[in-house]
Amino acid sequence: INKTKKVTLKLATSWPAHFPIMGTGVDRFVERCAELSGGTLEIKVYPKNILVPALQVFDATSAAQIDAFHSGVYYWKGKNSAFSIFGGMPLGFTSEEMITWLKFGGGYALWRELYGKFNLYPLVGGTTGPQMGGWFKKQINALADLQGLKMRIPGLAGEVMEHLGVNPVLLPAGDIYTALERGTIDATEWVGPALDNMMGFSKVAPYYYTGWHEPGSILELTFNKTRWEKLTPQHQAIITAASEEMTSTMLQEFRYENAKAYQSLSSVVEIKTFPPEVIDAAKKALKDVLAHESAKSEDFRRVLKSYETFSNLNKPWDDISTKNFLEIRG
């Protein structure tokens, strides 16, 4: 007989109810926790704005108004600039590399230490794979075309774009289309073909650019730390296992759905690549942003050092294996 007492947890997300891939990933995670626990672990999902606004889930969980949240890590860089690195780096790690750094390169220990100051305990809760570079109403043929452009782009990528003359804007999913349609913003990035197509961006912005700024963004499943520590070791193990399953399934689903959506999108919109001078400027701007943030924040400096240590270990092997193979495969 299972003597584990039944536990009910409240989890808020930054997505609309049953939002494809990200939201449905959370729905499946909750089902798996119930199955694996024999019904003793019930997690109630509250989509954005039901209990908590989309971008207030961090504060609500920190203050124990709810038990957990699912969101994107880069939304919280205002709390601590170092958090943006755990969400993924422009021109940096792919999803697989990010998760390897977190699990084996010391990233998780730093993430949990820094989130611990907000009484939070983070787990990876999915990842998007490579994202596209965004939707633009006008073509970007030169660096000068970015001057004064208003673009929805979060995290470190937003700071890099700011160096290139863009005015970055932070908007949750539900507000992007309207802002783009009305001209409140001139461009937006979101995720990739599957979710972007669903949002209807192609109706209002005909140019779709290939990505560089989010090669492997990390989503999070974060618990109130005090609440997490009160769970039984069995329930903690179930949540951890179910979050790992959610992460790999989400990455695979993104790949499959993006591949399908790209097939239909590529015939109706112009797929563009940023000119080399924009990418070169972005690389230079990223170095400046990282140096600036490191000078301001000891936490940022420590996390970046860990990230770069893994990068130095990983890159030679990645170049000779993955990169080399993809070139051979053609």
Side-chain angles (χ1 to χ4, degrees), residues 28-75:
R28 271 202 302 268
F29 160 78
V30 164
E31 281 167 25
R32 291 297 278 153
C33 287
E35 285 167 7
L36 292 168
S37 68
T40 61
L41 181 60
E42 182 188 24
I43 301 175
K44 289 189 168 160
V45 178
Y46 296 88
K48 66 163 198 166
N49 302 343
I50 302 295
L51 269 187
V52 185
L55 300 184
Q56 284 174 32
V57 294
F58 182 104
D59 289 340
T61 307
S62 176
Q65 292 157 355
I66 49 173
D67 302 303
F69 71 86
H70 188 264
S71 191
V73 192
Y74 50 50
Y75 288 134

Side-chain angles (χ1 to χ4, degrees), residues 17-162:
H18 317 301
F19 193 71
I21 311 180
M22 286 156 11
T24 53
V26 177
D27 296 340
R28 271 202 302 268
F29 160 78
V30 164
E31 281 167 25
R32 291 297 278 153
C33 287
E35 285 167 7
L36 292 168
S37 68
T40 61
L41 181 60
E42 182 188 24
I43 301 175
K44 289 189 168 160
V45 178
Y46 296 88
K48 66 163 198 166
N49 302 343
I50 302 295
L51 269 187
V52 185
L55 300 184
Q56 284 174 32
V57 294
F58 182 104
D59 289 340
T61 307
S62 176
Q65 292 157 355
I66 49 173
D67 302 303
F69 71 86
H70 188 264
S71 191
V73 192
Y74 50 50
Y75 288 134
W76 325 121
K77 81 179 176 85
K79 308 277 180 199
N80 183 332
S81 59
F83 295 167
S84 52
I85 303 175
F86 301 121
M89 177 89 76
L91 301 156
F93 295 157
T94 62
S95 288
E96 188 195 1
E97 290 168 327
M98 274 299 293
I99 292 165
T100 307
W101 167 59
L102 287 168
K103 286 167 76 169
F104 295 97
Y108 244 143
L110 285 164
W111 190 13
R112 288 184 173 153
E113 177 203 327
L114 297 181
Y115 261 37
K117 295 174 185 176
F118 293 85
N119 197 27
L120 294 171
Y121 180 85
L123 294 153
V124 177
T127 179
T128 61
Q131 296 196 16
M132 286 291 277
W135 297 85
F136 291 76
K137 291 186 163 183
K138 294 192 190 119
Q139 288 194 54
I140 306 300
N141 297 316
L143 196 53
D145 295 337
L146 291 174
Q147 298 311 306
L149 198 82
K150 292 191 291 294
M151 182 176 184
R152 183 266 177 204
I153 183 164
L156 284 170
E159 289 188 50
V160 170
M161 284 301 245
E162 198 167 9

